Amino acid sequence: AAENEEELIPSDPAKTTTQFLAGLWKLIAQGNDLVRDETKTVLFPNMGEKLASKRYLNLVTAHLDACKDVCDYFGICTTLQPYIKDGRIKGFTVKSFRKPGHDPDNFEFAYDPFWDDGDDWDYEGIDDEYEKEEAKSGTASSNKVKYPEIVNKIPDNDEEILKISKEWVAKICSDMGICPFTSGAEKAGLPIGPVYYTVDRSTSMEDMYARYWQEVVRMEDSPESEHSTTLLVAPEFCIDNVEIFESFSTTLTQPLTALDVEDSIQLVFFHPHWSFRDGGERGGEGAAANYARRSPWPMINILRTNQVRAAQKGIPTGLVYKQNEKTLSGIGVEKLETMLRLRDWTEIADVKVNRREMEALRVAQDFQQTGVIKQEDTSFLNDATPAANKVDGTQIEKGNLVNVVKEALEKRLGKESGKVTRLSGPETSAAIMASDFLLAEVEKIIASSDPPSP
């Protein structure tokens, strides 16, 4: 009877961690549609050996626990339980505790006389009053920019979403050299290959996790020559809340190393309101650097690790950041934000960086086309570091490199969170670049100092 029961339970053919997580999150997302006492079970017959490992199970559980902090249903009104037969985990069951027709975000509390006094506060017009007060006191900023309203913020047509996304990639990422290994909207990577674009209109965390892992599996199963990288465009996902989007992003980068997914993929995130947290000056025109990651809609760029590592041999992430800041500051925050809101980059249609004139981009272009770093691009006979990697004082203007190292150490040692935390790939690259430069400067100071008197 038990065997017959298992035959009626759906099975997922997952054999790898990424395939398993894709199947597991698909199951969790299906729990969003369940109501109290309803369950759904899926077996993973090919994952038996991994699921028998206590360490592996703990790592998966840790990933899921981190995701619960941002999920809409999972961990609030749905739970995930292992499906155990004959003392072994053979699958998982999602169970719902949600009342039919009940919105999990609509919390109901008992009467509180301190708050529930029957008065509804009306905030309408408060901004206008505040601006009037500013004008009277003379504190209103005469330089405040009035940006255009975004028309048709989220188009209904996926083709329009893709068209605008590709225009943004072609102009900002490629023509401006923001992504050194991007060539137009359709080609990127090392070696160069096709970019796969896809649109997902998920609004819940659970559905987005499921779609993300599905796209990871798609890329892993596709030949590199046919599918170099993926750009997952999510126009309705956290578009007005970059903080939650960043929290979601963190839950995707955390399991990369722990679950050995890091050897397969790397991630870059884009959002209309993205801001770097790298220790650099991000006020005034310094804010222009943020537009290297500010896209029309939230996006997840899924990269192949082998390509990322090959690229880092030629161009350090930290130097790319500084070069991007210089390029984008030349356009200016006001123009960048206006174009982003209008979804129109024709104002800089004729602007295109010359990759042969910018050292980092020139080395990247040659490396992308030939797969090797030329001998003349190395600094010294016995130094295989590309010349583009060499940082001088002019390349770190306005960048507080001491602060970069300080923040990296604080995060790594858990000063704020209370626990040791791994740095992300970009954070590691920025910290290494900053450390190398500071050490070199200290050595110069020591070398130039007068020797002590005997």
Side-chain angles (χ1 to χ4, degrees), residues 20-246:
F20 169 61
L21 289 172
L24 194 61
W25 275 108
K26 180 180 178 181
L27 173 63
I28 294 171
Q30 289 173 342
N32 292 2
D33 298 323
L34 302 179
V35 295
R36 179 176 290 173
D37 294 331
E38 288 185 335
T39 64
K40 185 175 179 61
T41 301
V42 172
L43 303 179
F44 294 91
N46 299 319
M47 293 296 294
E49 185 176 345
K50 285 184 177 293
L51 293 177
S53 165
K54 185 176 180 180
R55 179 179 180 276
Y56 185 81
L57 199 59
N58 285 340
L59 290 172
V60 171
T61 301
H63 164 60
L64 296 177
D65 285 343
C67 296
K68 287 178 184 177
D69 290 339
V70 296
C71 275
D72 299 302
Y73 293 83
F74 184 46
I76 300 173
C77 56
T78 62
T79 62
L80 189 71
Q81 304 164 351
Y83 178 84
I84 301 175
K85 286 291 182 181
D86 302 324
R88 294 187 303 164
I89 298 176
K90 294 192 173 184
F92 290 87
T93 298
V94 64
K95 183 176 181 178
S96 176
F97 295 88
R98 180 171 64 90
K99 295 179 183 178
H102 178 68
D103 182 355
D105 290 330
N106 185 18
F107 296 103
E108 298 177 0
F109 299 97
Y111 173 77
D112 185 337
F114 185 77
W115 295 105
D116 302 330
D117 54 9
D119 292 335
D120 292 327
W121 295 352
D122 183 5
Y123 295 98
E124 186 177 355
I126 194 170
D127 289 337
D128 294 336
E129 292 298 323
Y130 181 70
E131 289 177 2
K132 288 179 183 178
E133 289 297 323
E134 277 191 328
K136 287 180 182 179
S137 63
T139 59
S141 173
S142 59
N143 298 322
K144 189 174 182 180
V145 179
K146 295 289 186 181
Y147 290 113
E149 293 293 327
I150 300 175
V151 178
N152 197 12
K153 189 173 184 179
I154 305 175
D156 295 330
N157 190 332
D158 284 0
E159 290 304 316
E160 185 175 355
I161 296 281
L162 288 174
K163 175 178 175 294
I164 294 173
S165 297
K166 290 181 179 182
E167 288 174 353
W168 171 77
V169 170
K171 175 48 63 180
I172 301 298
C173 297
S174 180
D175 286 357
M176 295 294 99
I178 301 305
C179 300
F181 294 97
T182 297
S183 180
E186 304 291 346
K187 298 285 186 179
L190 189 65
I192 193 167
V195 178
Y196 176 78
Y197 289 85
T198 184
V199 176
D200 186 274
R201 292 185 178 271
S202 296
T203 57
S204 77
M205 290 287 172
E206 292 85 353
D207 286 327
M208 186 51 64
Y209 280 123
R211 181 57 185 271
Y212 160 75
W213 286 109
Q214 176 188 334
E215 293 306 327
V216 171
V217 171
R218 185 199 303 274
M219 191 171 77
E220 287 186 338
D221 291 345
S222 302
E224 195 170 349
S225 59
E226 299 176 9
H227 184 161
S228 180
T229 184
T230 293
L231 195 62
L232 171 57
V233 185
E236 301 186 38
F237 182 71
C238 297
I239 189 169
D240 294 317
N241 196 325
V242 68
E243 288 79 13
I244 291 183
F245 182 77
E246 286 190 74

Side-chain angles (χ1 to χ4, degrees), residues 209-367:
Y209 280 123
R211 181 57 185 271
Y212 160 75
W213 286 109
Q214 176 188 334
E215 293 306 327
V216 171
V217 171
R218 185 199 303 274
M219 191 171 77
E220 287 186 338
D221 291 345
S222 302
E224 195 170 349
S225 59
E226 299 176 9
H227 184 161
S228 180
T229 184
T230 293
L231 195 62
L232 171 57
V233 185
E236 301 186 38
F237 182 71
C238 297
I239 189 169
D240 294 317
N241 196 325
V242 68
E243 288 79 13
I244 291 183
F245 182 77
E246 286 190 74
S247 296
F248 166 80
S249 303
T250 300
T251 65
L252 295 185
T253 56
Q254 283 178 339
L256 292 184
T257 301
L259 292 170
D260 294 328
V261 182
E262 189 178 37
D263 291 336
S264 175
I265 64 164
Q266 297 289 312
L267 303 170
V268 177
F269 301 93
F270 301 90
H271 191 281
H273 307 295
W274 187 274
S275 291
F276 282 111
R277 313 256 198 275
D278 61 355
E281 173 58 50
R282 291 293 172 252
E285 284 305 311
N290 292 320
Y291 288 84
R293 292 282 193 89
R294 289 193 180 180
S295 54
W297 300 283
M299 300 180 183
I300 305 173
N301 189 192
I302 308 173
L303 306 163
R304 295 181 184 270
T305 296
N306 64 308
Q307 293 192 14
V308 173
R309 288 176 178 167
Q312 288 174 339
K313 291 179 182 177
I315 307 295
T317 306
L319 182 56
V320 173
Y321 285 165
K322 299 309 300 179
Q323 190 159 278
N324 288 347
E325 183 171 5
K326 182 178 180 181
T327 299
L328 293 170
S329 294
I331 300 174
V333 172
E334 184 176 345
K335 186 179 290 187
L336 288 165
E337 180 63 25
T338 299
M339 292 188 294
L340 187 63
R341 286 168 170 262
L342 296 176
R343 318 282 198 236
D344 183 359
W345 294 271
T346 54
E347 191 173 347
I348 56 172
D350 297 330
V351 180
K352 188 174 183 178
V353 299
N354 186 339
R355 291 176 179 252
R356 309 311 297 173
E357 292 180 354
M358 302 181 78
E359 188 69 7
L361 296 181
R362 182 188 64 75
V363 175
Q365 186 180 57
D366 290 344
F367 191 21

Side-chain angles (χ1 to χ4, degrees), residues 359-377:
E359 188 69 7
L361 296 181
R362 182 188 64 75
V363 175
Q365 186 180 57
D366 290 344
F367 191 21
Q368 186 178 49
Q369 293 174 351
T370 66
V372 296
I373 300 173
K374 296 179 181 178
Q375 181 66 32
E376 57 266 32
D377 288 333

